[in-house]
Amino acid sequence: MKKMLLSFILLLIMVIQLPLSAFAHSELESSTPAEGEKVTTDLEAVVLTFSTKIESLSTMTLKNGDKEIPLQISIEDDQMTGAINNPLENGNYTVVYKIIGADSHVIEGNYTFSVDRPEQDQAQEENPEDKKEDTGEQALPDTEKKDQPKNPSYFAPLTIGLVIVIAIVSFFAFRRKR
């Protein structure tokens, strides 16, 4: 009897540990601009790509010293994009991010890059009459993006936990009937 109970407990511990080992922590795979990169053109966005899907509560800030640069954040699957409205001045910038990965763990990090645009580009920005209207392509509206199911990241562990609880209750219920 004791051997059977001990075997069951060991099996239960192994089953509980399997899902935990399957979820790896999210990490930053790539970024645009990259760590330490020297940007010499207008930067339209900061793009961070992670190793797993990230949750919508994730955040990113762009700082030039103590000054925070406003970003329009959008998150899609494993990518977080911070659109920059105004051209960045020459200087050193720090990207600070805080994400919630698919495994529900909070991951924080930062990296730096610099902007060193030629003086000619900056002078043109100061003279708005010299600017021509942008006739480039427009982004597709959100309605044309693929519809994807939005299951929360806790769905799989919750389901596995529920199955384990049902198995334990069933085990003891059938044990008493014998």
Side-chain angles (χ1 to χ4, degrees):
M1 174 72 173
K2 288 184 181 181
K3 287 183 182 181
M4 181 129 170
L5 183 59
L6 184 59
S7 298
F8 178 74
I9 291 173
L10 288 175
L11 179 66
L12 182 64
I13 290 172
M14 288 174 39
V15 168
I16 290 173
Q17 292 300 318
L18 277 175
L20 296 177
S21 64
F23 291 113
H25 290 303
S26 298
E27 59 183 38
L28 183 63
E29 284 190 339
S30 66
S31 61
T32 304
E35 164 82 36
E37 183 176 344
K38 187 178 192 179
V39 179
T40 57
T41 60
D42 283 344
L43 186 62
E44 295 178 6
V46 175
V47 181
L48 306 179
T49 304
F50 295 90
S51 59
T52 63
K53 181 180 176 194
I54 58 175
E55 297 295 324
S56 60
L57 296 175
S58 302
T59 62
M60 172 176 36
T61 57
L62 179 62
K63 295 181 179 181
N64 182 358
D66 291 336
K67 181 182 173 189
E68 189 171 316
I69 311 300
L71 299 174
Q72 292 179 349
I73 306 294
S74 63
I75 297 173
E76 188 170 327
D77 293 329
D78 64 345
Q79 200 168 65
M80 180 167 36
T81 304
I84 301 169
N85 295 329
N86 299 318
L88 299 176
E89 299 173 2
N90 287 347
N92 294 320
Y93 291 85
T94 302
V95 176
V96 180
Y97 60 88
K98 183 175 182 179
I99 65 148
I100 302 171
D103 61 355
S104 301
H105 285 95
V106 176
I107 306 295
E108 298 180 54
N110 62 64
Y111 73 93
T112 59
F113 68 92
S114 62
V115 174
D116 188 18
R117 295 183 305 149
E119 295 299 320
Q120 183 181 23
D121 289 348
Q122 290 180 354
Q124 286 180 350
E125 289 171 9
E126 293 173 5
N127 298 329
E129 63 272 0
D130 292 344
K131 282 189 175 179
K132 295 180 181 178
E133 283 203 28
D134 184 16
T135 58
E137 296 178 11
Q138 294 181 351
L140 294 175
D142 290 341
T143 56
E144 294 183 25
K145 291 182 179 176
K146 292 181 183 176
D147 291 332
Q148 296 179 358
K150 300 287 183 187
N151 292 337
S153 63
Y154 57 83
F155 184 74
L158 183 65
T159 304
I160 292 169
L162 187 59
V163 168
I164 291 171
V165 168
I166 291 171
I168 292 171
V169 170
S170 299
F171 174 79
F172 286 112
F174 287 121
R175 193 94 171 114
R176 289 187 182 172
K177 288 185 180 179
R178 292 182 184 180

